[in-house]
Amino acid sequence: MSATSASNSLPLTESALNQSISWRNSAQPLLPVRINPSQAAEEPYNPFPFHAMGNDRIRNGYESLATYIAQHKRVLIDGYAGVFFTEVQLRLQQELEKKGLKIQWIATDAYIKPHEAISEMVQPFLGEEKSVWGRRCHFHLKAFFQLPSLTSLQPDTGADITIVIGIGAALTGWQAPLIYIDLPKNELQYRMRAKSICNLGARSPESAFAMYKRFYFVDWVVLNNYRKEVLDKITVIADGQFHTDINWALATEIRKAMCELSRSVWRVRPWFEPGSWGGQWMKRRLKGLNKEEVNYAWSFELITPENGLIFESNGYLLECSFDFLMLYEHAAVLGKHAQQFGDYFPIRFDFLDTFDGGNLSIQCHPSLHYIREQFGEAITQDETYYILDCEPGAKVYLGFQESIQPNEFRAALEDSQATQQPVDVDRFVQSFPSHKHDLFLIPNGTVHSSGKNNLVLEISATPYIFTFKMYDWLSLDLNGQPRPINIEHAFNNLRFERKGKRVQEELISKPVVLERGKDWELIHLPTHPDHFYDVHRIEFDSEIVVHTEERCHVCMLVEGTRVEIAMNGKTIGHYNYAETFVIPAAAKQYTLINKGAGKAKVVKAFLK
């Protein structure tokens, strides 16, 4: 079986599997197959947050999966981009042979359209070659296949079991158990960088830059819609991130766990990336990260298109895409906003770390009209910077100087790009000192940047790649190459009226105490009218009851050591400093309990 197209992975031999090969390119640890739950719960920062399902819900190993398969005459093994379907087949074949069974394997990649036809088909969605952006693809997965051949497949009557394997297996239309193998987006990208996988229908890997753009605008869009379509047909959900092992569970068990989460509290699995301007705060403060990494620029604390949820049973861990929760339970999660956003989770939390690092680029984000017309996105990238920590002298660049002349600003940027001479940024852009717990407002079109020595909690609408860089301080990326500059896009969106005193009046949040009690205060940090979300900070010494009011709350402990969450008089979770947690609308009411010394401060973002 070849795995160079529909399965998205390159062939790895059995001998290679047992060696230390370059199948993932990352300094970050792989999710453990199994953990000690009680020990993990006591960590001061948990990079692998899990949700207990109870005993005997998650199965481990290819032997157990083969035992499940052996109960059926026909089986479909489908899944996401980046899964090593070749290796799945190899290991299942070994286990099924031990049972004396004759297996007919049918690989879906034999029925995919020729590489050249697919390349031509997707090209309009990839934008210009050197551009970061394309446009969201509108094709169905069927368009990638020679569909009549796939749907006319028949099982071999001489085989004990016929297994269709690879992306698109469910397109056969067979009435058979559907095993869906998922893969976290971070691990997909680590495989992408190692060139051990390729894009849907591609013959071979390309550069990581080109592959990511194709994944974002084509493959992920197509496969997310396909997963939604086959959701109710899935009988088994498996975690495909492990090298030689597999954890899996019945879809009914996962759905039950998702239902419980949608009325409780949860934390997605965060992941971390270095960058040209990256800092040292996360490396020093967050346990469980690789301390040998050069820096950490980003933490994907809650960027749901790329996060997963981890479940645990008998110590075994199974991660599946956050999308499953929203597909199953978006009404419970979003409450009164479910009709507006559907199965799209609209708020994100992430860290930008410039401690002992560098300045972020001078940048802006697209208007709602622009992002819809140019890139096919539904909402735009309206942001805020919440200063979780900073060093004395740190600052945030925000808005223009009163004297700004757009033509002069553009000429300075273009001259710098051509000559590699520095720009006197302060001549054009204002900066403000940053202090812990400040909130800077960055609606679309606003020029901005974080200076060095900040740990920014970015509270934002979910879109996360649409950053138009105008000036990058002449810095290079970690490969020694200049990062793309997008002056044209930026000037199509910049709001030059956001300048002078207006910036301080409109773009720096002014906290207001809404309510107070014996040992607590509820503080409103107003956002801009363009933001569809708002921010509160809850400060308390002992405990406080919070009502969701049919809204989802995205929270983080921004000062203190640990908080417990209680519902109906029962403790259901605890979260440490700098950990993001989410209370869905259907929870209705919860109690925050301060378990540390001193006052606890919890930031809460919610939809207006």
Side-chain angles (χ1 to χ4, degrees), residues 574-593:
H574 64 260
Y575 297 93
N576 303 309
Y577 175 64
E579 291 185 340
T580 303
F581 58 96
V582 182
I583 310 287
K588 298 189 182 300
Q589 178 181 306
Y590 59 99
T591 302
L592 290 169
I593 304 167

Side-chain angles (χ1 to χ4, degrees), residues 398-406 427-432 445-447 494-507:
L398 186 68
F400 288 111
Q401 299 285 3
E402 181 65 44
S403 60
I404 185 69
Q405 296 296 320
R427 177 185 164 200
F428 304 103
V429 180
Q430 294 191 72
S431 65
F432 299 89
T446 305
V447 66
L494 280 169
R495 301 286 296 271
F496 284 96
E497 73 274 20
R498 291 177 182 156
K499 63 180 181 177
K501 292 182 179 179
R502 183 174 176 181
V503 175
Q504 192 156 7
E505 293 169 355
E506 298 181 6
L507 300 183

Side-chain angles (χ1 to χ4, degrees), residues 172-435:
T172 59
W174 288 10
Q175 298 300 309
L178 176 58
I179 299 170
Y180 188 92
I181 305 178
D182 206 7
L183 185 68
K185 293 275 182 48
N186 60 316
E187 289 298 330
L188 185 154
Q189 290 176 64
Y190 301 157
R191 294 180 182 189
M192 173 191 81
R193 295 169 192 170
K195 297 194 173 183
S196 63
I197 63 171
C198 51
N199 291 107
L200 182 61
R203 184 182 293 122
S204 59
E206 299 182 76
S207 69
F209 175 89
M211 291 177 72
Y212 181 84
K213 181 164 71 167
R214 165 76 185 274
F215 276 128
Y216 186 96
F217 288 100
V218 179
D219 298 12
W220 292 352
V221 179
V222 170
L223 292 174
N224 288 348
N225 288 334
Y226 173 67
R227 177 169 50 205
K228 182 176 180 178
E229 179 184 314
V230 303
L231 184 71
D232 291 338
K233 301 175 184 177
I234 297 172
T235 54
V236 165
I237 296 175
D239 188 339
Q241 70 183 292
F242 307 115
H243 195 182
T244 60
D245 210 338
I246 196 165
N247 285 342
W248 61 279
L250 295 176
T252 52
E253 297 286 358
I254 294 293
R255 181 154 197 171
K256 179 182 176 183
M258 293 285 188
C259 181
E260 293 173 356
L261 279 191
S262 72
R263 290 151 179 84
S264 179
V265 58
W266 38 267
R267 171 165 166 73
V268 299
R269 176 190 174 182
W271 62 285
F272 308 86
E273 283 289 288
S276 59
W277 43 264
Q280 304 298 316
W281 191 96
M282 287 189 278
K283 215 163 114 174
R284 294 168 185 159
R285 299 290 296 272
L286 303 184
K287 189 173 180 180
L289 278 62
N290 180 4
K291 305 304 182 185
E292 300 304 314
E293 187 66 85
V294 59
N295 65 48
Y296 288 106
W298 297 275
S299 166
F300 283 49
E301 276 293 309
L302 182 78
I303 304 182
T304 56
E306 298 202 22
N307 286 123
L309 288 162
I310 304 173
F311 294 97
E312 177 272 335
S313 178
N314 300 105
Y316 290 111
L317 300 181
L318 186 157
E319 183 176 356
C320 56
S321 299
F322 178 85
D323 303 41
F324 277 103
L325 176 64
M326 295 301 288
L327 291 174
Y328 286 138
E329 299 289 349
H330 71 276
V333 172
L334 294 182
K336 66 171 65 177
H337 297 95
Q339 186 172 0
Q340 179 182 359
F341 290 100
D343 55 30
Y344 185 84
F345 193 82
I347 294 176
R348 67 175 162 89
F349 274 23
D350 60 278
F351 286 143
L352 307 174
D353 182 353
T354 64
F355 261 67
D356 297 328
N359 298 330
L360 269 66
S361 63
I362 299 296
Q363 56 189 247
C364 75
H365 304 299
S367 70
L368 181 59
H369 173 77
Y370 200 83
I371 203 170
R372 286 175 173 173
E373 291 296 313
Q374 295 291 320
F375 311 118
E377 294 284 338
I379 60 178
T380 195
Q381 195 165 323
D382 290 310
E383 297 179 344
T384 66
Y385 280 178
Y386 187 95
I387 306 301
L388 189 74
D389 201 358
C390 60
E391 293 281 8
K395 59 185 178 180
V396 167
Y397 294 89
L398 186 68
F400 288 111
Q401 299 285 3
E402 181 65 44
S403 60
I404 185 69
Q405 296 296 320
N407 290 340
E408 290 183 14
F409 183 46
R410 182 161 187 165
L413 297 172
E414 290 176 342
D415 180 70
S416 175
Q417 190 176 19
T419 65
Q420 292 299 293
Q421 294 300 306
V423 171
D424 181 5
V425 171
D426 292 317
R427 177 185 164 200
F428 304 103
V429 180
Q430 294 191 72
S431 65
F432 299 89
S434 52
H435 309 95

Side-chain angles (χ1 to χ4, degrees), residues 53-92:
M53 294 176 66
N55 292 332
D56 305 322
R57 299 295 188 268
I58 296 174
R59 281 80 163 176
N60 167 252
Y62 282 99
E63 181 181 3
S64 65
L65 187 56
T67 299
Y68 171 84
I69 290 171
Q71 302 172 47
H72 307 279
K73 289 289 291 180
R74 299 182 184 183
V75 173
L76 305 173
I77 302 179
D78 211 319
Y80 208 69
V83 171
F84 292 147
F85 285 105
T86 305
E87 285 59 65
V88 173
Q89 177 183 339
L90 174 65
R91 297 189 180 282
L92 285 175

